[in-house]
Amino acid sequence: MRRNGSGKISFKQYRFTDLLIFAAILAAFELILHFAFKAFEGNGAFFTFSPMMPIIVLVMMRWGWISVFYAVGDGALFCLLNGAGFESYVIYCAGNAFVILLLFFTRFVGKERIRKSLYLSMLMVLLGWLLTVFGRSAVAACFGINFAEALTGQLWELISLAVGLLLIAGMRKLDGIFEDQKHYLLRMEEERLEKMRRDEFGDEPIELDGETISILNKRDDEWQ
């Protein structure tokens, strides 16, 4: 990536744009789902879900630790939309921040192994979900709320987990989406250089005009 005058953007610009897009996606989905649930709440709607976990997992795979800000921001947005008090803000923001512990999983297992394995990808989503559930329950206990009851109540909210598993299972099949972006950009550059080398040594097919083809056909007939 070049900085100026080449039509390309710098790495910092690419990262900022990418993070901004995912933040906008997360906020948009939270708003849509919130107002959709409110609209159907009186018509028998009995469940809702959050897109937070698949977005966090994607951002963590792509950019690492900065994904924790998405967890904290999502908790704050949830509380804002529901008119929650100070206590709830602390529970959801601090509790969601427990997802940062998922970085140990990416560190010791390796992002490439996770990316290439459906089992490890699903395990990452599950661990992230469990960390946020445990985190909220632990913080809630600091405010006198029974830890076991808070934990049990959230463990039954399986819709968000199921949606997260399905989304990551699909997104990981898209080239470069579920991948560390430094690794992805380097891989793309290596593939580009390899293509240039193949072109240089004539391994790639070349285009021939009509006159050249007729000459080659004529010479081929002479040798038959």
Side-chain angles (χ1 to χ4, degrees):
M1 292 184 177
R2 299 173 186 173
R3 292 184 178 276
N4 295 304
S6 64
K8 297 183 179 181
I9 62 174
S10 69
F11 177 76
K12 289 183 179 180
Q13 290 172 324
Y14 173 80
R15 181 175 58 186
F16 175 79
T17 303
D18 192 72
L19 291 171
L20 185 62
I21 290 172
F22 277 102
I25 291 173
L26 178 58
F29 270 99
E30 285 289 9
L31 289 169
I32 291 171
L33 291 171
H34 171 78
F35 289 110
F37 177 75
K38 289 295 183 182
F40 290 99
E41 188 174 16
N43 297 321
F46 58 92
F47 67 86
T48 185
F49 64 90
S50 170
M52 180 188 74
M53 190 48 57
I55 296 293
I56 289 175
V57 169
L58 282 171
V59 174
M60 185 172 289
M61 283 291 291
R62 293 168 75 87
W63 301 110
W65 64 270
I66 202 169
S67 56
V68 71
F69 290 106
Y70 289 73
V72 175
D74 186 81
L77 180 59
F78 174 82
C79 292
L80 179 64
L81 291 173
N82 289 279
F86 173 76
E87 181 179 305
S88 295
Y89 272 93
V90 176
I91 291 173
Y92 276 90
C93 293
N96 285 357
F98 273 59
V99 79
I100 198 171
L101 297 175
L102 194 59
L103 288 171
F104 289 104
F105 179 72
T106 63
R107 173 71 175 177
F108 292 111
V109 176
K111 289 184 178 180
E112 275 302 283
R113 285 187 61 196
I114 297 172
R115 179 176 74 90
K116 295 177 180 179
S117 169
L118 176 62
Y119 164 75
L120 292 175
S121 300
M122 299 297 96
L123 181 59
M124 184 176 179
V125 178
L126 175 61
L127 290 175
W129 181 75
L130 289 173
L131 282 170
T132 56
V133 168
F134 176 83
R136 293 169 188 166
S137 302
V139 177
C142 297
F143 288 93
I145 301 174
N146 184 277
F147 174 80
E149 291 181 0
L151 184 65
T152 303
Q154 292 190 81
L155 285 175
W156 284 106
E157 298 177 5
L158 297 175
I159 298 296
S160 294
L161 174 61
V163 171
L165 292 171
L166 289 173
L167 286 176
I168 294 300
M171 297 294 285
R172 62 182 295 274
K173 296 180 181 179
L174 303 177
D175 186 38
I177 295 295
F178 194 64
E179 182 176 0
D180 183 279
Q181 289 304 283
K182 291 182 179 179
H183 180 274
Y184 170 70
L185 294 173
L186 288 172
R187 179 167 64 83
M188 290 295 99
E189 181 65 13
E190 290 175 358
E191 291 179 4
R192 186 184 69 83
L193 293 175
E194 179 61 28
K195 184 179 184 301
M196 289 177 62
R197 285 193 290 268
R198 291 199 304 268
D199 291 342
E200 181 179 353
F201 289 100
D203 292 331
E204 291 289 315
I206 60 174
E207 295 184 0
L208 302 176
D209 57 28
E211 181 180 357
T212 304
I213 292 175
S214 64
I215 292 174
L216 290 175
N217 287 334
K218 181 179 179 180
R219 289 183 177 179
D220 186 56
D221 291 338
E222 291 175 353
W223 283 95
Q224 291 181 0

